[in-house]
Amino acid sequence: MQIDTHAQLPVRASEAAAIAEIAQFVGASGLEVYLVGGAVRDLILGRPLTDVDLAVDGDPGQLAAEIGAPSSAETRFGTLSVERNGFRYDLARTRSERYPRPGALPAVAPAGIDADLARRDFSVNAIALGLAGSRAGELLSAPEALADLAARQLAVLHDASLIDDPTRLLRLARYAARLGFEPAPHTRELAAAAIAGNALATISGTRIGNELRLLATEPDPVAAFDAVAALGLPWAIDAPLARAALAVLPEDGRRDLLVLACVLNTAKPPYEQLLAELERLGFTASDRDVIAEAAAAAELARRLVGSDRGSQIAHAVGTSGIETVALASGQGAASQALAWLRDLRHRTLEITGDDLIQHGLSQGPGIGEALTAARSALMDGTATNREAQLRVALESAE
């Protein structure tokens, strides 16, 4: 692959909307400012600039305050985020890192851009373009970074990289799927050794969970988890099921949680065991519930298979989430699941219990039973307006 490192790269960067938006602030900052990492990589590859990472040799808060109100507080690593006119900017102080032990969070110290590039995960992300300061317009990179980019391969910068920070194993799969790159042969060997040595056991469940959540939000999360499995990591995905379910999941569904249900249920653990694992991985209670329920979609599919009428489908679905129903569609209940997702779930009664009381029904269980009868008729298409629903409800209460 031909790599574009000529003088037009700074011009292309300046013409990118996200960079043009902040150019005046960067130029007037008096700081050494660099576009770094994936942003430079994607510019070189001719990909859309979606992530804007800025490295500042100095106080990033000074530049952030000029750009706009921070959307996050500065972290222990000297990083913070700012939003302006629909663009998000992640700013960080250029720094060096030292890992006190395998899997520990790094100890950081301010350093120049060369040291900052040397601390990064993969060579193709260890590239910077000077935006302001003495190296403005200069393309900087770690050794072999541009060669690896041309070869479309992902290589760590030193042999201890995956031991120092085992989350890079999951990032290796994520970037491989997103970019269509392959791990470099030596990096693949290092990954196999780290996995065999149980390197992931040195980091917290929450840090692992964060990486799994990022994988699930990739443009093609199925390919991302296929790459995870290809590395030998313990998170496989039922790809045909996931793709079938994603194809019918409505826009108001959670694609990421559906994918994670396909991943975390491959071993089909008991419900309580799955919940405990999700808690270990740092999922919120609400997300745990959705994933655990969706992971058991096969049971819903069995209930739906024998459902012919709308009321039967609605009864079988009950309170199941749309992610669960979408997964049931790929497990033998396609027509019933689609009927629910595209039509039945949007049908709502036009009458309430108060309407029935006004027509002479006494408060009590009979109200709920009458409304249930009206809802069943609505689902079956025999009571599609207020008058018909009221009639069905009153007749059922006689």
Side-chain angles (χ1 to χ4, degrees):
M1 183 181 75
Q2 189 72 26
I3 290 294
D4 178 9
T5 59
H6 57 65
Q8 286 303 306
L9 188 61
V11 175
R12 286 167 52 197
S14 68
E15 291 175 347
I19 302 301
E21 179 68 32
I22 61 169
Q24 59 177 317
F25 307 113
V26 170
S29 68
L31 297 166
E32 300 273 344
V33 182
Y34 303 88
L35 186 68
V36 294
V40 186
R41 179 200 68 215
D42 289 346
L43 273 177
I44 293 173
L45 292 174
R47 295 167 59 93
L49 185 61
T50 56
D51 298 322
V52 181
D53 293 326
L54 300 174
V56 181
D57 194 345
D59 179 12
Q62 177 184 334
L63 177 58
E66 294 294 327
I67 295 174
S71 57
S72 68
E74 186 169 339
T75 71
R76 58 173 288 190
F77 302 116
T79 64
L80 70 165
S81 298
V82 181
E83 293 184 3
R84 181 183 179 86
N85 292 339
F87 297 111
R88 175 188 169 96
Y89 303 90
D90 294 317
L91 291 83
R93 182 188 295 270
T94 54
R95 66 186 190 268
S96 64
E97 293 181 346
R98 179 182 59 82
Y99 290 84
R101 64 181 185 280
L105 292 174
V108 303
I113 186 62
D114 297 302
D116 191 84
L117 294 179
R119 72 171 179 81
R120 294 180 177 267
D121 50 8
F122 304 106
S123 63
V124 298
N125 293 332
I127 309 173
L129 176 66
L131 296 182
S134 63
R135 302 178 83 171
E138 187 177 344
L139 183 65
L140 312 166
S141 66
E144 304 303 320
L146 297 177
D148 287 335
L149 195 57
R152 301 181 67 83
Q153 66 179 10
L154 296 164
V156 292
L157 297 176
H158 58 89
D159 284 1
S161 178
L162 301 176
I163 302 298
D164 286 343
D165 184 358
T167 63
R168 290 171 176 166
L169 290 164
L170 290 156
R171 272 182 267 162
L172 178 61
R174 179 153 55 90
Y175 288 129
R178 184 195 300 177
L179 300 171
F181 286 14
E182 290 291 331
H186 184 55
T187 294
R188 188 181 289 278
E189 292 173 0
L190 293 172
I195 294 167
N198 203 20
L200 287 168
T202 65
I203 59 177
S204 69
T206 297
R207 289 179 66 191
I208 294 172
N210 287 340
E211 294 299 327
L212 295 176
R213 286 183 278 275
L214 287 171
L215 282 157
T217 57
E218 281 291 294
D220 187 346
V222 179
F225 276 104
D226 275 342
V228 167
L231 282 176
L233 290 163
W235 293 282
I237 188 169
D238 185 334
L241 174 60
R243 291 200 183 281
L246 287 170
V248 301
L249 184 70
E251 289 186 0
D252 55 331
R254 289 282 301 275
R255 290 171 53 87
D256 58 331
L257 300 186
L258 184 154
V259 167
L260 288 165
C262 290
V263 170
L264 296 171
N265 194 44
T266 50
K268 304 197 183 310
Y271 180 81
E272 294 301 327
Q273 184 178 327
L274 177 55
L275 282 180
E277 175 64 3
L278 291 168
E279 183 173 7
R280 183 186 77 85
L281 294 172
F283 284 86
T284 65
S286 59
D287 285 358
R288 290 200 301 269
D289 290 343
V290 172
I291 294 170
E293 178 196 279
E299 176 56 34
L300 173 59
R302 285 191 286 273
R303 295 198 304 269
L304 284 171
V305 166
S307 302
D308 299 320
R309 300 196 309 273
S311 59
Q312 294 174 324
I313 293 172
H315 179 73
V317 170
T319 59
S320 298
I322 55 179
E323 296 81 9
T324 307
V325 179
L327 280 167
S329 74
Q331 300 181 72
S335 62
Q336 295 91 340
L338 286 175
W340 175 259
L341 293 170
R342 296 178 178 177
D343 176 22
L344 297 175
R345 74 186 181 104
H346 299 295
R347 299 186 186 184
T348 57
L349 283 174
E350 298 181 39
I351 61 173
T352 66
D354 289 340
D355 294 318
L356 301 183
I357 291 172
Q358 290 177 8
H359 282 76
L361 268 65
S362 301
Q363 290 185 348
I367 295 289
E369 294 169 359
L371 289 174
T372 297
R375 184 171 183 269
S376 293
L378 169 64
M379 294 297 168
D380 289 338
T382 59
T384 58
N385 55 49
R386 174 181 170 81
E387 291 73 20
Q389 292 164 19
L390 187 60
R391 181 176 64 255
V392 169
L394 295 172
E395 288 176 352
S396 73
E398 291 180 354

